Amino acid sequence: MTFDRYSSDVLADFSRRPVREKPPTREATFDLVVEDVASDFCGSVVRTEGKMVELEDRRGRRRMFPLGGGFLFEGTPVILVAASAARPAGALRTASGSVKAPDARARVARASRIFVEGRHDAELVEKVWGDDLRGEGVVVEYLEGVDHLDAVLKEFKPTPARRVGVLVDHLVSGSKETRIADAVMRAQGENAVLIVGHPYIDIWQAVKPGRLGIEAWPNIPRNIEWKHGICASLGWPHDDQADIAAAWQRILGRVRSYTDLEPELLGRVEQLIDFVTSGEGAR
């Protein structure tokens, strides 16, 4: 049998141009890292507004872009769309990882309190544990420095039914903070006051460095004010207190939930919440 090479249409299966598949869509959820192809600007999603999305790069610079095509996610083209307003199925959780009660309302404040060293500490605790604390009726106040702790407690007059939990920075062997904590605990009694702390020089370090796009927090010499030194090392403005406040807001803005914090802080805050909401202190 002879094969006839001219018996069929050689162009029957020919396609002059391959069909280009439409890039997949991706929701512009907070902290999603994408790259704008036209400008090479790479950053994480800060917010969406109307048909625009705002990105922030690792140096804190922000730019607005129109939603739609022209973005890369992990090197792959995507069409960026506004995040869905629909709630995910299943149990909702708070930023601390706790299951959120449906239609939970803040309860009347307990007599017990949690004190933290400064405003930044209070803001971080509020961001991650705020829902839990409101549900338990626990108020968080800041001391403006651990040096004032003894005077604050003498005025508050803690008892086993009116407990105080205290979160202290840099609570390590031989530190000033440890000496103050030991003296206060001896004077107040362990059934009325619990003082715990993390090993970091400042609450800033309790945020995982990867959230800021760095491998580790810089080491700052002791003769340089720590926060100013951190800002200088990271290339952030640090001339005055307004710059320091702006730096903290940048750091705080990177925190989404407990997963962005170091375990040395997580366990201590949970310990304080348990202390002021259990036993006689739960009344």
Side-chain angles (χ1 to χ4, degrees):
M1 182 174 180
T2 306
F3 174 72
D4 185 357
R5 72 174 68 182
Y6 304 107
S7 63
S8 61
D9 183 358
V10 296
L11 300 178
D13 296 325
F14 177 74
S15 176
R16 289 178 297 174
R17 182 177 299 174
V19 177
R20 182 175 298 175
E21 293 185 2
K22 183 179 180 182
T25 60
R26 188 150 191 115
E27 292 190 349
T29 54
F30 177 76
D31 229 29
L32 178 75
V33 177
V34 294
E35 179 182 352
D36 175 63
V37 176
S39 64
D40 292 330
F41 187 90
C42 182
S44 57
V45 173
V46 176
R47 65 188 177 97
T48 57
E49 184 176 333
K51 297 181 179 180
M52 304 293 290
V53 59
E54 184 175 24
L55 304 180
E56 180 182 49
D57 70 6
R58 63 185 301 272
R59 296 185 179 276
R61 296 175 299 188
R62 295 189 179 189
R63 289 184 59 180
M64 297 288 289
F65 298 92
L67 290 165
F71 293 97
L72 297 178
F73 172 71
E74 296 182 348
T76 302
V78 293
I79 297 174
L80 213 55
V81 298
S84 172
R87 291 184 176 182
L92 295 177
R93 293 189 176 273
T94 66
S96 71
S98 302
V99 175
K100 188 172 185 178
D103 300 324
R105 297 181 179 180
R107 60 176 290 176
V108 176
R110 298 174 184 268
S112 300
R113 292 286 187 273
I114 290 178
F115 287 94
V116 297
E117 278 207 57
R119 184 182 299 275
H120 294 177
D121 306 64
E123 289 176 343
L124 184 60
V125 169
E126 161 60 29
K127 183 161 189 178
V128 177
W129 288 274
D131 288 337
D132 306 59
L133 293 168
R134 282 184 288 276
E136 294 288 351
V138 178
V139 175
V140 175
E141 301 182 21
Y142 61 93
L143 299 166
E144 296 186 355
V146 73
D147 294 337
H148 307 291
L149 179 57
D150 186 52
V152 169
L153 292 182
K154 284 180 179 178
E155 180 178 353
F156 188 84
K157 296 181 175 60
T159 69
R162 181 180 162 84
R163 290 180 170 182
V164 169
V166 184
L167 180 68
V168 178
D169 296 341
H170 202 222
L171 197 64
V172 296
S173 178
S175 69
K176 175 193 71 173
E177 291 81 2
T178 298
R179 291 193 296 271
I180 292 174
D182 290 344
V184 170
M185 285 289 291
R186 285 194 300 269
Q188 296 291 338
E190 61 182 16
N191 290 326
V193 175
L194 174 65
I195 303 174
V196 299
H198 55 76
Y200 306 113
I201 295 173
D202 190 271
I203 198 71
W204 290 19
Q205 283 183 301
V207 178
K208 292 180 178 178
R211 296 299 306 129
L212 304 176
I214 58 177
E215 293 185 1
W217 285 94
N219 290 318
I220 307 303
R222 291 189 177 184
N223 63 332
I224 298 176
E225 201 283 326
W226 191 83
K227 291 177 181 175
H228 286 266
I230 289 294
C231 291
S233 296
L234 296 178
W236 298 349
H238 56 282
D239 293 335
D240 52 33
Q241 191 56 38
D243 290 335
I244 303 302
W248 167 242
Q249 290 306 312
R250 178 181 297 175
I251 296 168
L252 185 63
R254 309 305 296 168
V255 176
R256 304 159 300 183
S257 71
Y258 73 99
T259 60
D260 297 325
L261 303 180
E262 299 288 0
E264 289 83 354
L265 174 67
L266 297 175
R268 301 293 74 77
V269 176
E270 297 289 349
Q271 186 179 357
L272 291 178
I273 294 175
D274 288 344
F275 177 74
V276 299
T277 58
S278 63
E280 295 177 89
R283 295 176 184 171

